[in-house]
């Protein structure tokens, strides 16, 4: 069986020089008239993507992109070494593409889900089969990577569970409770945290263009798309305004936001009349908001949660009243545990931790607040002990609605997030250096346009073009937004965020992870890391530095610099970009063409292979909180809206199951 599949794969690939070695189970089976010639041994996972209406704050329904009728979409759980056949059926009236955030795709660079880079956008009515292997343990997520669609709700959790022999850091947390910790880990609760706007991404972006404003004011902070819009009195706003904002003589709006024309927003010619009053000023209190509730059983001793930020632009932070957070994993890697009161969760970040369930039975607020100065805003959930009759009387908050610490609290340090097991290889020297300047696009005069490299903006219209992966890299000129590397190179990316107001940027790198080796104040005044290291070695961490897929550059009133180092191990076209969707859509991205000397050849049936039927070995069932009606805010998701232009799914979805085919036809007819 395995032999014949391999033979089929070899036949299919014959004649193409595939530089990336293919190992393990066969990847591509021949398909004939929609019937699979061979059955893949991957786990099937399908999301049917539609427009629907959701009403997370109770303020009224808004169009959102749902996966199988919900947002967040269904969670995927796999075990290390397993592969998935992740089928995306696009029932939208627009293009899409689904990225697997943090998944390195070492053998499948065409399954990274970035339209214009690794695949053609999935057209309305079409589908794409993403096959990839779980190569690293951790908490990840899938999300749309087509323009700013993440802000419209297309996201869902991915957990990759360890093999039985994988070392975990749980013993370091409580050596006498490893069984309980392992059990808690096995049912870890994914909690998406995000900012919410009543405007869809398209509407939001059009407002930015019309007003020439980088909109950084949201309506609500949601947990698993449940929340409430809270409005403060002017006295409360004045009370909660930070000393820094007061020092800048800024009066926050009724939504708690820095006004779009405040001096820190930059000197731009704006058309503020194009902004609706509720973009920055008018706050409308939810009449029927809710709190996401995660029920835990104190008999378990411990519970685990993974916060996943799907936020469009707010960098968030979280605390749980009366509970220390025992962080064991950060951005795709077990870390040396840190026991903290608070975690900061940048856009695209995942932070996993345990809490000890030793408090009096009751509901303990999970507080999620904006970490930036741009807006005073919080959202809430509840950690509810089984048998709870309501708010725990002794609950003590660790931060205010504005996110200011109450008393002396400790915060998780991403900078000190050393891998629990250091990666096999780290180089103290680099072969290649890129210097980027993280800033608004110079000279263009657009407040909402950004650059990662320093000069050029990556244009969203590239998402509709021919994928760079499909081209001969020699035909692609290197530029401000396209950088090339050779296989095996160690690459430094030096990022300078100029003052006077250096905003934080949660930078996410696709494919293999990077080492976060140093950051400091000022411009990076050396020509490379070797020179800087010679001048002052304590600026760098070469001793088990954090190894991750995302890191948020620090915010400052002044210049700051950050250096990532990575090894070119996986040839392909990969994004490195700011994960704030407003900055990304404004152009804050660079395409890394890694290993141009070992460029992969995309199989002709990429995205169109047959779906497998294997069962995952991971034994995880989502908690009751994560059932569709609970995750779909207010249970009000109804699919509608999407009027696919032409539906060709039956021809391309390549399902063996006639039931599925039938469902697709029925859907096509009824729409
Ligand atoms: C999503 O819906 C499709 C079709 O209704 C179904 O086959 C599939 O199993 C669902 N996916 C998940 C993850 O439940
Ligand atoms: C899943 O379980 C089967 C049967 O026990 C085993 O053969 C296979 O190797 C396992 N796969 C993984 C990825 O652990
Ligand atoms: C302002 O804060 C103080 C304590 O910091 C509190 O006593 C007072 O009630 C607050 N006022 C308002 C309007 O929130
Ligand atoms: C603060 O701003 C107000 C109006 O917004 C202005 O009248 C006042 O002069 C400013 N004060 C300082 C110290 O800049
Ligand atoms: C803002 O820019 C304009 C030209 O675009 C310039 O004339 C003006 O001096 C600038 N204002 C400040 C405060 O920098
Ligand atoms: C949500 O929880 C917070 C903190 O416990 C509370 O202040 C708020 O009233 C709750 N909101 C709703 C809508 O229940
Ligand atoms: C509960 O556990 C925490 C550590 O997470 C500890 O500091 C605290 O003293 C314990 N409280 C009780 C009531 O046992
Ligand atoms: C930062 O330093 C580099 C190298 O010394 C220099 O080329 C660049 O112009 C500086 N940038 C700014 C904004 O000063
Ligand atoms: C070297 O860098 C460290 C860390 O930023 C700093 O504390 C120290 O003052 C620097 N030493 C010199 C000689 O500049
Ligand atoms: C929703 O979650 C609650 C617990 O928070 C649970 O009691 C209820 O059964 C869930 N609803 C559904 C439809 O599963
Ligand atoms: Cu950014």
């Amino acid at each position: 069986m395995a032999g014949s599949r391999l033979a089929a794969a070899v036949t299919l690939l014959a004649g193409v020089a595939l530089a990336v070695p293919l190992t393990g189970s066969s990847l591509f089976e021949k398909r004939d008239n929609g019937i699979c010639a061979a059955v893949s041994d991957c786990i099937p996972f399908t999301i049917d993507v539609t427009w629907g209406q959701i009403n997370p704050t109770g303020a009224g329904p808004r169009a959102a992109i749902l996966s199988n009728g919900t947002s967040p979409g269904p969670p995927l759980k796999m075990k290390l070494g397993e592969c998935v056949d992740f089928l995306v059926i696009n029932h939208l009236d627009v293009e899409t593409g689904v990225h697997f955030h943090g998944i390195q795709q070492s053998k499948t660079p065409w399954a990274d889900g970035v339209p214009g880079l690794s695949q053609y956008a999935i057209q309305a009515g079409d589908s794409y089969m993403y096959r990839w292997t779980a190569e690293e343990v951790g908490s990840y997520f899938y999300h749309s990577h087509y323009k700013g669609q993440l802000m419209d709700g297309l996201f869902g959790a991915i957990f990759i569970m360890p093999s039985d022999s994988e070392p975990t850091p749980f013993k370091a947390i409580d050596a006498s409770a490893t069984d309980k910790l392992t059990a808690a880990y096995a049912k870890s609760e994914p909690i998406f945290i995000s900012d919410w706007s009543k405007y869809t991404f398209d509407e939001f972006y059009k407002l930015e263009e019309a007003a020439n404003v980088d909109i950084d004011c949201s309506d609500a902070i949601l947990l698993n798309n449940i929340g409430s819009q809270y409005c403060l009195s002017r006295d409360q706003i004045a009370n909660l305004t930070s000393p820094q904002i007061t020092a800048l003589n800024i009066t926050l709006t009724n939504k708690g936001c820095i006004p779009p024309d405040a001096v820190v927003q930059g000197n731009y010619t704006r058309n503020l009349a194009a902004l609706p009053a509720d973009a920055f000023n008018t706050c409308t209190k939810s009449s029927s908001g809710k709190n996401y509730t995660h029920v835990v059983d104190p008999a378990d001793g411990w519970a685990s949660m993974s916060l996943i930020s799907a936020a469009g632009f707010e960098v968030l932070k979280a605390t749980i009243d009366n509970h220390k957070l025992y962080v064991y994993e950060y951005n795709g890697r077990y870390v040396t545990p840190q026991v903290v009161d608070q975690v900061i969760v940048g856009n695209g970040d995942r932070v996993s931790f345990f809490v000890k369930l030793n408090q009096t039975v009751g509901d303990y607020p999970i507080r999620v607040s904006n970490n930036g100065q741009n807006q005073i805003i919080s959202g809430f959930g509840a950690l509810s002990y089984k048998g709870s009759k309501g708010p725990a009387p002794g609950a003590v908050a660790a931060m205010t609605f504005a996110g200011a610490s109450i008393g002396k609290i400790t915060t998780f340090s991403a900078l000190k997030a050393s891998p629990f097991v250091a990666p096999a290889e780290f180089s103290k020297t680099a072969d290649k250096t890129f210097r980027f300047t993280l800033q608004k696009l110079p000279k263009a005069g657009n407040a909402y346009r950004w650059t990662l490299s320093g000069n050029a903006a990556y244009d969203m219209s590239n998402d509709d073009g021919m994928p760079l992966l499909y081209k001969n890299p020699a035909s692609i000129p290197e530029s401000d937004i396209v950088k090339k590397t050779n296989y095996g190179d160690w690459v430094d990316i030096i990022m300078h965020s100029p003052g006077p107001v250096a905003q934080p940027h949660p930078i996410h790198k696709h494919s293999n992870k990077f080492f976060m080796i140093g950051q400091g104040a000022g411009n990076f005044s050396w020509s490379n890391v070797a020179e800087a290291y010679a001048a002052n070695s304590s600026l760098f961490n070469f001793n088990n530095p954090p190894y991750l897929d995302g890191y948020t550059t620090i915010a400052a009133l002044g210049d700051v610099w950050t250096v990532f180092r990575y090894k070119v191990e996986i040839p392909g076209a990969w994004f490195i970009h700011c994960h704030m969707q407003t900055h990304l859509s404004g152009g804050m991205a660079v395409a890394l063409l890694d290993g141009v000397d070992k460029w992969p050849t995309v199989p002709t049936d990429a995205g169109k292979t047959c779906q497998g039927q294997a069962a995952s070995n991971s034994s995880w069932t989502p908690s009751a909180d994560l059932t569709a009606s609970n995750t779909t805010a207010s249970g009000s998701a109804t699919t509608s809206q999407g009027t696919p232009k032409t539906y060709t799914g039956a021809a391309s979805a390549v399902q063996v199951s006639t039931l599925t085919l039938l469902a697709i036809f029925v859907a096509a007819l009824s729409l």
Side-chain angles (χ1 to χ4, degrees):
M1 216 19 207
S4 72
R5 279 200 299 274
L6 196 61
V10 169
T11 311
L12 206 85
L13 294 169
V16 299
L18 195 81
V20 186
L22 288 172
T23 55
S25 64
S26 74
L27 289 180
F28 315 102
E29 301 82 24
K30 204 165 160 49
R31 158 173 75 85
D32 206 4
N33 301 325
I35 308 297
C36 293
V39 180
S40 132
D41 53 10
C42 298
I43 302 157
F45 192 90
T46 300
I47 54 168
D48 201 332
V49 176
T50 57
W51 281 110
Q53 299 282 322
I54 64 170
N55 186 9
T57 65
R62 197 207 93 176
I65 300 179
L66 309 177
S67 305
N68 273 21
T70 68
S71 175
L76 165 65
K77 192 149 180 176
M78 299 164 69
K79 201 164 180 175
L80 193 68
E82 291 176 343
C83 58
V84 67
D85 279 344
F86 195 115
L87 178 66
V88 175
I89 304 175
N90 180 7
H91 270 110
L92 304 172
D93 54 357
V94 293
E95 294 80 351
T96 194
V98 174
H99 169 58
F100 305 94
H101 188 111
I103 302 296
Q104 65 175 9
Q105 308 286 5
S106 76
K107 307 287 190 293
T108 47
W110 41 84
D112 193 43
V114 184
L117 241 66
S118 50
Q119 68 172 94
Y120 285 97
I122 311 173
Q123 299 299 306
D126 209 344
S127 68
Y128 197 95
M129 233 284 305
Y130 296 94
R131 176 174 300 166
W132 49 265
T133 299
E135 297 176 285
E136 291 173 299
V137 168
S139 145
Y140 301 92
F141 67 124
Y142 62 88
H143 68 77
S144 171
H145 217 303
Y146 182 75
K147 300 183 179 174
Q149 270 179 1
L150 171 60
M151 284 172 76
D152 290 335
L154 201 179
F155 50 79
I158 300 173
F159 277 173
I160 297 174
M161 306 301 288
S163 58
D164 299 335
S165 58
E166 184 90 357
T168 66
F170 305 158
K171 216 164 99 182
I173 288 171
D174 185 346
S176 67
T178 50
D179 285 357
K180 286 187 164 168
L181 291 167
T182 304
Y185 171 72
K187 52 178 185 179
S188 187
E189 181 87 345
I191 302 181
F192 278 94
I193 55 179
S194 56
D195 45 19
W196 174 254
S197 161
K198 67 181 276 197
Y199 298 105
T200 63
F201 170 73
D202 272 353
E203 293 164 346
F204 193 94
Y205 194 74
K206 285 195 177 96
L207 289 178
E208 290 198 327
E209 287 180 308
N212 194 23
V213 165
D214 189 9
I215 302 178
D216 54 359
C217 190
S218 59
D219 299 348
I221 304 296
L222 308 177
L223 284 79
N224 278 338
N225 268 350
I226 295 176
S228 194
Q229 184 163 7
Y230 297 96
C231 298
L232 305 177
S233 68
R234 289 307 317 176
D235 280 353
Q236 286 171 320
I237 290 174
N239 224 13
L240 291 169
T241 299
S242 73
Q244 293 95 319
I245 295 293
T246 306
L248 290 163
N249 193 25
I250 292 169
T251 303
L252 300 177
T253 70
N254 286 343
K255 282 175 76 177
C257 297
I258 293 181
D261 54 351
V263 63
V264 291
Q265 303 275 23
N267 181 14
Y268 294 95
T269 306
R270 301 183 177 85
N271 175 20
L272 295 184
L275 286 177
D278 57 15
F280 279 84
N281 295 303
T282 309
C283 186
T284 309
K285 190 180 181 311
S286 295
S287 53
S288 58
K290 282 186 183 157
N291 279 340
Y292 179 73
T293 300
H294 176 42
V295 180
V296 291
D297 185 347
D300 291 342
W302 293 84
S304 168
M305 278 160 265
S306 291
L307 300 182
I308 308 173
S309 173
F313 51 87
E314 315 270 27
V315 171
L316 300 171
K317 57 187 168 189
T319 62
I320 304 178
D321 289 15
N322 297 31
H323 290 80
K324 292 276 181 195
L325 314 179
Y326 294 73
V327 181
Y328 62 84
E329 188 196 301
Y330 180 61
N331 285 354
R333 190 91 189 175
Y334 289 142
V335 295
T336 304
Q338 293 183 27
V339 186
V340 299
D341 300 295
Q342 181 182 61
V343 289
I344 294 175
V345 195
N347 313 59
D349 284 356
R350 291 88 59 215
V351 186
S352 304
F353 53 80
F354 292 109
V355 290
K356 193 172 185 177
L357 303 174
N358 67 353
Q359 299 294 307
T360 314
V361 170
D363 287 355
Y364 294 87
I366 303 172
R367 297 172 196 272
V368 182
S369 183
N370 179 22
N371 186 51
Q373 295 282 349
N374 55 304
Q375 182 172 18
I376 292 176
I377 188 166
S378 273
F380 305 94
L383 180 71
S384 179
Y385 281 50
K386 195 174 162 187
S388 165
K389 303 227 159 35
V396 179
M399 64 180 179
T400 69
F401 188 85
S405 304
I406 297 175
K408 205 165 172 258
I409 68 168
T410 52
T411 300
F412 176 75
S413 166
L415 203 56
K416 294 188 179 138
S418 300
F420 174 63
V421 175
E425 226 188 332
F426 173 73
S427 172
K428 292 190 175 176
T429 58
D431 305 301
K432 185 152 197 158
T433 296
F434 295 124
R435 289 193 71 128
F436 292 169
T437 307
L438 281 49
Q439 60 188 354
K440 287 198 176 175
L441 194 60
K443 299 198 189 88
N446 295 132
Y448 58 94
R449 295 286 276 163
W450 287 84
T451 168
L452 183 67
S453 55
N455 299 304
Y458 188 93
D459 204 293
M460 266 196 291
S461 65
N462 290 339
D463 295 14
D464 294 314
M466 183 183 186
L468 296 181
L469 184 65
Y470 283 60
K471 300 183 183 177
N472 177 349
S475 71
I476 309 170
E478 199 157 8
S479 69
D480 285 319
I481 54 161
V482 176
K483 302 289 177 197
K484 297 183 185 179
T485 66
N486 286 325
Y487 188 75
D489 276 356
W490 280 89
V491 177
D492 278 349
I493 300 180
I494 300 175
M495 290 167 282
H496 169 216
S497 308
V501 183
Q503 293 195 25
H505 297 289
I507 305 297
H508 169 55
K509 180 187 171 299
H510 291 217
S511 190
N512 63 327
K513 296 180 167 67
F514 57 84
F515 293 93
M516 163 59 202
I517 59 169
Q519 69 184 19
N523 189 356
F524 188 88
S525 54
W526 306 272
S527 50
N528 54 42
V529 168
E531 207 178 89
Y533 187 84
N536 185 351
S537 63
S538 55
L539 292 170
F540 296 95
N541 176 9
F542 286 170
N543 178 25
N544 199 11
Y547 181 66
L548 20 71
D549 52 56
Y551 182 83
T552 304
T553 65
I554 52 179
L557 292 174
D559 297 42
V560 292
W561 58 265
T562 315
V563 185
F564 296 168
R565 174 170 291 178
Y566 78 99
K567 187 180 185 190
V568 178
E569 291 173 342
I570 307 174
W574 309 112
F575 240 176
I576 179 167
H577 65 93
C578 180
H579 216 273
M580 287 184 184
Q581 297 302 294
T582 46
H583 294 188
L584 172 60
S585 56
M588 205 165 192
V590 161
L592 294 170
L593 304 188
D594 271 345
V596 290
D597 52 341
K598 282 200 183 237
W599 200 241
T601 301
V602 182
T604 51
D605 62 351
K608 299 296 167 200
T609 48
C610 297
Q611 200 175 32
Q613 290 169 30
S616 174
N617 286 353
S618 70
S619 56
W620 179 66
T621 41
S623 73
D625 309 349
L626 286 173
T627 55
S629 71
N630 278 343
T631 49
T632 305
S634 314
S636 61
T638 51
T639 50
S640 67
Q641 280 242 349
T643 28
K645 292 166 211 147
T646 49
Y647 191 69
T648 56
S652 52
V654 202
Q655 297 279 342
V656 210
S657 152
T658 44
L659 268 180
T660 313
L661 278 174
L662 198 65
I664 290 168
F665 275 120
V666 170
L669 288 174
S670 61
L671 279 165

